[in-house]
Amino acid sequence: MAAGGSSARPEVIWARPERAGRGPRPTYTRGEIAAAAVRIADTDGIGAVSMRRVAAEIGCGTMSLYNYVPRKEDLYELMVDAFSSEYDLPEQPSGDWRADMLMLAVQARALIHRHPWLPGLLSPVHGFSPNGLRYLEFCLAALEGLPAGNGTKMELIAMINGLVTAFAGNELAAAERARAFPWSPDEEQAARGAYLARQISSGQYPRLAGILAEAAGPIDYDAAFGRMVNRVLDAFEFESGQDKP
């Protein structure tokens, strides 16, 4: 038996009642439990999230919390569902599938920056939570204008989500790295730029020298993100057009 007396059989937390066993009406909702876990993770990182810490946050005993959340993995699933609830989804898609998918990608990137622990938890398994299903249903409704099979549409959603997670995850990692050093990001960039300039001036890297000569100042990460998402959308639009009779 697992902690809290839960079964060793596979279970989906969403198929369980809000609280296992007999007794009075549940004191805490899953939303309240998830919100407490998210607050802890936002403040102290995902490593600080434990059943004991969450129980203390909502004001119950650790063993009592197991009546609501049988496993720590279920707690993570609640957290990802809480993240999915933060999408600001219109009542209906706009009719422009590309604009809708870009809008969702921009929102997802912002949400990951708001919750830096997310890249470590995102999983296709967690995507089938109630709010995850709501998000997925909106995506599929938005993609009705794309002349492609359902499998292709699911691949497009997965690819966009993967791109967003990787891009935002790299941004978070860079920011975390910068905080670990006693110098500023500008000072480090200057030192690295000087090193790179010395290497380029050796003449061993003519192609890279040509690219850097065309560079117009610091990278605009918002613009770069938009281009990357649009290139993925371009590829799926082109492929769908090629499939037309």
Side-chain angles (χ1 to χ4, degrees):
M1 300 289 283
S6 58
S7 170
R9 296 190 303 271
E11 290 184 315
V12 178
I13 190 169
W14 310 111
R16 292 170 52 92
E18 283 271 328
R19 182 182 187 278
R22 299 178 180 179
R25 183 177 179 179
T27 305
Y28 310 102
T29 67
R30 284 177 178 156
E32 290 169 338
I33 295 169
V38 167
R39 285 195 300 271
I40 294 168
D42 286 349
T43 302
D44 298 325
I46 192 63
V49 177
S50 67
M51 299 296 277
R52 182 184 300 276
R53 179 82 181 270
V54 173
E57 180 77 12
I58 65 174
C60 77
T62 303
M63 296 311 296
S64 295
L65 183 59
Y66 281 108
N67 288 320
Y68 298 86
V69 186
R71 292 174 293 270
K72 188 175 181 180
E73 290 74 17
D74 293 323
L75 184 60
Y76 290 157
E77 191 151 356
L78 294 183
M79 294 172 69
V80 174
D81 185 65
F83 146 73
S84 299
S85 74
E86 294 185 33
Y87 279 102
D88 183 13
L89 301 180
E91 289 188 13
Q92 298 293 332
S94 69
D96 181 340
W97 66 269
R98 291 184 60 114
D100 286 339
M101 295 307 295
L102 179 58
M103 174 268 293
L104 292 172
V106 169
Q107 284 197 44
R109 180 183 171 216
L111 289 174
I112 290 175
H113 277 275
R114 189 185 307 167
H115 305 298
W117 45 269
L118 268 169
L121 290 190
L122 292 178
S123 158
V125 174
H126 295 158
F128 295 101
S129 66
N131 284 306
L133 290 172
R134 170 176 161 265
Y135 163 83
L136 184 57
E137 183 67 17
F138 181 87
C139 288
L140 292 172
L143 290 173
E144 285 184 351
L146 174 66
N150 291 329
T152 299
K153 291 176 181 179
M154 292 295 286
E155 289 174 0
L156 170 55
I157 295 168
M159 189 170 291
I160 291 294
N161 287 339
L163 186 157
V164 173
T165 302
F167 192 98
N170 286 338
E171 290 180 301
L172 292 172
E176 181 65 25
R177 181 180 185 278
R179 286 191 291 271
F181 289 111
W183 49 76
S184 71
D186 288 342
E187 289 173 319
E188 175 162 1
Q189 185 62 32
R192 290 185 176 277
Y195 164 78
L196 183 58
R198 291 195 299 272
Q199 299 307 306
I200 293 300
S201 66
S202 70
Q204 298 180 66
Y205 312 102
R207 296 171 185 82
L208 183 57
I211 291 173
L212 294 176
E214 296 175 1
I219 298 173
D220 183 337
Y221 287 98
D222 291 341
F225 177 75
R227 287 193 299 271
M228 289 182 185
V229 173
N230 275 303
R231 283 168 184 154
V232 172
L233 300 178
D234 286 344
F236 277 83
E237 185 172 38
F238 175 78
E239 179 182 323
S240 299
Q242 292 293 98
D243 289 342
K244 290 181 181 179

